[in-house]
Every structure is written in C-alpha cells, then in structure tokens.
Amino acid sequence: MTRPLVKQVAHTCIFARDLDAVETFYRDVLGVAPKFDFKRGEDRIGFYLDFGNRTFVEVFKKEETRFEESNQINHICFETDDIDGFMVNAKAKGIAVTDKKLGVDHTWQCWLADPSGVKIEIFQYTPDSMQFGPDGVDCQVDW
C-alpha cells in the first residue's frame, strides 16, 4: 500500500445532557459556534462544530450520558496557538482548567471538561514537539 486508505479524522461525536450548556461552552470558551443544527421535526437534537481544516465535532443530545474513566474514548484534544490566552479566557468564563504542563512529547497542554464531562486537552505545539519529528522514535512517559 503506497498511501493510507483514510485521509484524516473527519469528526468526533460526543453526547450532551444539556445541548444549550454544551453549545455555550464550545462557543464562549473554545470560540467555535455551531455550523448547523440537527433537527428531528422542530426539535433540535444536536449540532455540528467546525474546527477548521475539515475537522469537525458533532454533538447529540442524550440526557442519560455520563463520563466514566472506563470509556473507550478518553478525551478530545484541540490545538491552539496561544495556550496562555486560552487558559485566561476559560478561567474568565468560570471554567476549571489545569495549569499548563510541557508533556513528554514536548508539547504544552492543559485540561478541562465540557458541561457533560467530556475531557478536553488543549495542545500548543513547540518546535520540539515529537508529532513533527522523525518517525519510529520512542516517547518515554512519566505517568
């Protein structure tokens, strides 16, 4: 096989107990407003978020949803060019966000959660981030 059969991740789907609260979080804290809504008749059952470069997150209402550490998908990671500015904005909106940390892959990171408990990692790449280095190297973890 000379090239991958899949081009990239198209979207991630998350569930929300409260669509309006989750929309407010993504719009006001991450700066991404819905691109379009999903409706069943007149009922709004979800929305689609456009993060640029053909990267999307779809959100559907599911009131009984809850996050558990045993779920197969653990978190969503979003890239920023200004992690400090992101953290200031999140805290100004009353959102709990961890301190930033330089990860073992040499990328800055901080963590928060949306109103449904979906864990979100924020990344700011550095010139030494392993994601853009040579293939086949080992990243030794400290956790």
Side-chain angles (χ1 to χ4, degrees), residues 4-74:
L5 296 175
V6 173
K7 182 177 179 176
Q8 69 183 42
V9 173
H11 72 265
T12 299
C13 177
I14 61 175
F15 292 135
R17 290 186 298 268
D18 181 336
L19 277 180
D20 293 335
V22 171
E23 176 185 346
T24 298
F25 173 84
Y26 281 88
R27 183 189 62 234
D28 295 351
V29 178
L30 273 61
V32 180
K35 182 168 184 68
F36 61 85
D37 287 338
F38 290 102
K39 288 194 167 184
R40 185 175 291 126
E42 291 301 312
D43 294 331
R44 181 177 184 233
I45 63 164
F47 54 88
Y48 218 70
L49 300 165
D50 183 350
F51 284 84
N53 298 315
R54 300 168 55 103
T55 302
F56 302 93
V57 172
E58 64 183 3
V59 181
F60 286 104
K61 185 174 184 170
K62 188 172 184 182
E63 292 174 357
E64 68 275 10
T65 192
R66 68 185 188 286
F67 179 80
E68 295 179 5
E69 284 293 333
S70 61
N71 288 346
Q72 293 170 321
I73 295 178
N74 182 265

Side-chain angles (χ1 to χ4, degrees), residues 53-119:
N53 298 315
R54 300 168 55 103
T55 302
F56 302 93
V57 172
E58 64 183 3
V59 181
F60 286 104
K61 185 174 184 170
K62 188 172 184 182
E63 292 174 357
E64 68 275 10
T65 192
R66 68 185 188 286
F67 179 80
E68 295 179 5
E69 284 293 333
S70 61
N71 288 346
Q72 293 170 321
I73 295 178
N74 182 265
H75 67 275
I76 302 172
C77 180
F78 297 114
E79 179 185 354
T80 184
D81 290 328
D82 181 7
I83 197 167
D84 295 315
F86 176 88
M87 293 169 62
V88 166
N89 180 66
K91 289 176 183 177
K93 305 286 186 203
I95 302 299
V97 59
T98 67
D99 292 335
K100 76 177 182 182
K101 169 188 167 185
L102 190 61
V104 295
D105 60 355
H106 307 287
T107 303
W108 288 108
Q109 61 180 260
C110 66
W111 293 82
L112 61 157
D114 81 5
S116 293
V118 174
K119 293 194 310 185

